[in-house]
Amino acid sequence: MNTTSECLADTAGNHPTASSQAPAPTRRTVDAPTRTFHWLLALSFTGAYATAESESLRLLHTTLGYTMAGLIVARVVWGLIGPRPARLSSWGARLRPLWTLRPSNLLSRITSLRPSLNMLAVVGILLMATGGVLSGIAMDQEWFNAAFMEDVLEELHEFAGNGTLMLVITHLGLLVMGFKRQGTTQVMSMVSGRMPGKGPDLVHHNRVWLSALILMCVLAFWAWQWQTRPAPTDHPITHATHAQHGHHTDDDD
């Protein structure tokens, strides 16, 4: 009898119950459009920064710059009409702990202030990227004819690009700090839209259809840019080369 009881106990101990195998509870904190804005903007900035010095990839650099402009405008609009967690007004609440901060206790509160500092980095990224986009569009559209303004815009464009990169690195560093301390980061919410924890969803409607529409608009713009790109013979340097060769030919005749 004892042997049978021990076997039953061992069997029960070796096979966890259904409740222990249940997945940890999660709740939706970020909607699909916000995640799409985030990753498309990150991709566009990475590509634009990587191609900034390449003349042969100028079309790609310009296309990604205009994509960033559209995404920033769309994100601001979504921040005004979207769900509460995506609203720009919610950013103020996340930044509020910084307003009451004293320099003397900055180091002692740096860990608890990480979410607020991360939010500050995100705001800085958007503002700095906006400056880079506007200066880039001004140069591409030739809004200013004065030579000194072209130099100013070029310096501003380069400064904004490098400043955005530094803020992105800061943003990633703060996320790593959160991962080491809590074992989870905001990256999870920006991938799946959900975070571990009990409670109701902060975002009730995921709006995948709107996310798909945003992605389709971006891909359509990229395709349009590719289809309307100038032919190699339309480049002014190519025209000058042809004219020079033609001039030499006439002289030879």
Side-chain angles (χ1 to χ4, degrees), residues 3 6 22 47 55 67 72 104 106 126 128 139 153 158 167 183 209 212-213 242:
T3 304
E6 291 174 358
E55 187 64 30
T67 303
I72 291 173
S104 58
L106 173 61
L126 289 177
M128 192 69 72
M139 289 189 294
L153 289 173
E158 183 176 355
L167 288 170
W209 65 270
L213 180 60
H242 286 322

Side-chain angles (χ1 to χ4, degrees), residues 5-27:
S5 302
E6 291 174 358
C7 290
L8 291 174
D10 291 340
T11 303
N14 292 332
H15 296 280
T17 62
S19 59
S20 64
Q21 292 180 340
T26 62
R27 57 179 183 163

